[in-house]
Amino acid sequence: MRLSGKVALVTGAGSGIGRASAKLMAREGARIAALGHTEDELREAVEEIRQGGADAIALVADISDPDQMQDAVQQIIGKWGRLDIVFANAGINGVWAPIEDLEIEEWKNTLDINLTGTFLTIKCAVPHLRKQRGSIIVTSSVNGTRMFSNTGASAYATSKAGQVALVKMLAPELGPHGVRINVICPGAIETSIGDNTEQRNLDGAGLPVEFPEGEIPLGGEPGSSEQVAQLVLFLASEASSHITGTEVWIDGAQSLLQG
């Protein structure tokens, strides 16, 4: 029970990596605040956690809204009196399009959710994490960090690069308070994030590249949410007690091949 007695906030907990990580941390003893914007999914995730014998609550909130995020964190403190772990995982792919076709509101929406949402999640949680010498994990991506070949993903990649910069800025700021912060960069993972992706006018954009032997050197197949959850657990636990300000790619070497 590597997280016994701890309280974890997981954003984007209704599906995919967030849901798998919430369930795994619950099995390791954590009490889970599952936050997202789809109430039905959150309640299903919370019910699964409770059936496993752990305590969990569902919090419906928009991570890009400061008042909603502050209220969500206060609900956690009101129920359990502490916050030890934050997994800032929620995000969208948004619109992928050539820059001349990408509307300013589409750009802003992706940055508001992915980057500002991460900032607000951390900002609201930090006063409580300092008391517990807690751990923060942020979900970035191979896009914008080691991979720049997905034409049209300018807004998404920029938001993901910004998350890494934010983590590196905060690591020395929060380190003296005993708070660790790290970032994971998944590649192709079997999740439903593609459901909120709009691709537009990409035919003929960029350079055509083929990988006849496959795009993922390690095993040849996309990873699973459960594999990413194991990395999240490691970074949340005392097993990573001297690791901060670090990005970890979990992509089967996909980003090294595609670049």
Side-chain angles (χ1 to χ4, degrees), residues 3-252:
L3 304 180
S4 180
K6 296 187 181 296
V7 173
L9 166 62
V10 180
T11 70
S15 63
I17 291 169
R19 188 166 182 161
S21 298
K23 290 168 64 178
L24 180 58
M25 287 194 284
R27 290 198 296 272
E28 289 291 335
R31 291 164 284 181
I32 304 296
L35 187 145
H37 62 86
T38 306
E39 186 171 1
D40 290 345
E41 286 185 343
L42 287 177
R43 297 202 179 282
E44 288 176 4
V46 165
E47 184 58 30
E48 288 179 3
I49 290 169
R50 289 174 175 169
Q51 287 177 357
D55 197 4
I57 57 172
L59 299 171
V60 179
D62 176 357
I63 62 169
S64 66
D65 186 301
D67 292 335
Q68 291 186 33
M69 287 307 298
Q70 188 64 48
D71 180 66
V73 170
Q74 288 305 314
Q75 287 186 57
I76 297 168
I77 300 305
K79 181 171 179 60
W80 290 310
R82 62 187 293 163
L83 181 57
D84 304 84
I85 299 159
V86 169
F87 182 26
N89 166 73
I92 61 169
N93 276 352
V95 176
W96 291 23
I99 192 164
E100 63 266 31
D101 296 316
L102 187 65
E103 300 295 335
I104 184 63
E105 290 306 317
E106 295 166 342
W107 168 274
K108 286 181 177 179
N109 187 53
T110 300
L111 271 290
D112 282 349
I113 294 173
N114 290 356
L115 188 52
T116 303
T118 298
F119 162 77
L120 288 172
T121 301
I122 296 169
K123 178 179 174 62
C124 293
V126 157
H128 309 287
L129 293 171
R130 284 180 176 177
K131 298 175 183 178
Q132 308 300 333
R133 303 178 70 84
S135 177
I136 304 166
I137 306 100
V138 173
T139 300
S140 178
S141 172
V142 293
N143 291 287
T145 59
R146 278 205 310 208
M147 204 159 80
F148 298 88
S149 53
N150 281 321
T151 301
S154 299
Y156 179 76
T158 300
S159 72
K160 293 296 160 179
Q163 287 177 313
V164 173
L166 178 62
V167 165
K168 289 181 178 294
M169 287 298 299
L170 291 179
E173 178 181 329
L174 299 177
H177 304 282
V179 177
R180 298 180 295 109
I181 180 168
N182 293 287
V183 57
I184 63 172
C185 301
I189 305 294
E190 293 178 343
T191 72
S192 60
I193 192 171
D195 294 345
N196 59 38
T197 307
E198 178 185 339
Q199 296 188 344
R200 190 169 65 236
N201 299 334
L202 293 178
D203 291 343
L207 297 173
V209 180
E210 294 184 1
F211 297 90
E213 301 299 324
E215 300 177 359
I216 304 173
L218 183 62
E221 299 292 335
S224 69
S225 296
E226 288 71 24
Q227 287 173 312
V228 181
Q230 291 288 344
L231 174 58
V232 174
L233 174 61
F234 168 71
L235 293 172
S237 74
E238 289 302 309
S240 59
S241 61
H242 200 55
I243 300 175
T244 194
T246 297
E247 62 268 62
V248 182
W249 286 273
I250 178 164
D251 67 345

